[in-house]
Amino acid sequence: MIFYDCSTAPSPRRARMFIAEKGLEIETREISMVKGEQLSPEFLAVNPGATIPVLVTDSGQMLNENIGIAAYLEAMCPEPPLMGATPDEKGAILNWNAISEFQGGHSIAEALRNGNPHMKGRALPGPNDFEQIPELAKRGMQRVHLYFDKLNSQLEGREFVASDTFSLADITSFVFVDFARVVKVRVEDTHPHLKRWYETIKARPSAQL
């Protein structure tokens, strides 16, 4: 297998943490988004969608979505289970993974890509250029705060986001909560349950990668 990573971006970090929590060692190739290497002919030959992460399996299949990478690795290496061991756990974990992707990750991306002057003309990832929409940046910021509120409520009286054990939902939620710093949103004392959980996950070895 070959894992295409980018150390500065949130989406590859999700896959990187999942791989680490599984205890797997996979050949890794760093793609610098700062240098625009995701748009190079060499990388586009791997993933024409120009996004990272990418996992190329031993059979040559190209997986370029976190959920696909996680599902493949979970099936290949079931222990420890990060996507649930029971029907209830599997449903809850994927449910909260989706919440954190769409209400967390997408809102941060909406605010960053439409509000940062350095991303002018690059409002969406991928090979095509899109102009910024300032109104989306404002809406994105509102959505980020709502996501923090929602996650704080979910974590009241809970150690982990979706089940009794650490899971994919915690990885996805942690990465996006941490990445919210790029739009100047950080975990504060106003969200005590979120802050407790965030500090716990932050201390895990996989979160240092």
Side-chain angles (χ1 to χ4, degrees):
M1 289 188 290
I2 301 173
F3 175 57
Y4 290 85
D5 194 3
C6 176
S7 59
T8 60
S11 288
R13 188 184 185 193
R14 292 168 58 191
R16 194 162 63 243
M17 285 184 67
F18 195 94
I19 291 168
E21 291 285 345
K22 286 290 185 182
L24 297 171
E25 293 186 8
I26 301 175
E27 179 184 345
T28 299
R29 297 180 185 175
E30 177 75 11
I31 303 298
S32 173
M33 294 178 68
V34 174
K35 297 178 181 178
E37 291 178 352
Q38 78 276 20
L39 299 172
S40 68
E42 293 80 8
F43 184 70
L44 289 174
V46 176
N47 178 18
T51 58
I52 314 166
V54 171
L55 180 70
V56 178
T57 70
D58 288 335
S59 67
Q61 181 177 201
M62 188 273 291
L63 302 173
N64 63 349
E65 294 288 347
N66 265 290
I67 192 65
I69 292 171
Y72 177 85
L73 295 177
E74 182 89 348
M76 188 187 74
C77 181
E79 298 296 331
L82 296 177
M83 297 180 73
T86 68
D88 281 347
E89 287 179 353
K90 290 176 185 292
I93 289 166
L94 288 183
N95 188 72
W96 272 96
N97 185 73
I99 288 172
S100 287
E101 278 194 337
F102 292 103
Q103 298 183 29
H106 285 200
S107 61
I108 296 165
E110 197 172 66
L112 175 65
R113 286 187 168 271
N114 288 284
N116 189 319
H118 296 293
M119 306 198 82
K120 184 176 176 61
R122 292 294 299 162
L124 288 174
N128 302 306
D129 293 336
F130 290 90
E131 291 302 320
Q132 294 175 320
I133 302 174
E135 290 79 5
L136 288 182
K138 296 177 183 178
R139 187 182 74 176
M141 290 301 300
Q142 293 175 336
R143 293 179 63 211
V144 173
H145 290 292
L146 289 172
Y147 170 65
F148 271 47
D149 291 343
K150 188 182 189 79
L151 201 52
N152 184 67
S153 296
Q154 171 66 8
L155 286 163
E156 183 175 2
R158 301 182 59 92
E159 185 176 359
F160 300 107
V161 169
S163 66
D164 292 335
T165 58
F166 180 84
S167 75
L168 174 65
D170 294 287
I171 292 174
T172 302
S173 303
F174 171 78
V175 168
F176 287 135
V177 167
D178 195 46
F179 191 64
R181 67 184 183 278
V182 299
V183 291
K184 300 181 180 179
V185 178
R186 293 177 172 81
V187 182
E188 305 288 353
D189 292 338
T190 51
H191 294 87
H193 313 301
L194 177 59
K195 186 174 183 179
R196 167 188 48 77
W197 166 86
Y198 173 77
E199 294 298 335
T200 299
I201 305 303
K202 186 179 179 181
R204 297 179 76 92
S206 66
Q208 312 307 312
L209 300 175

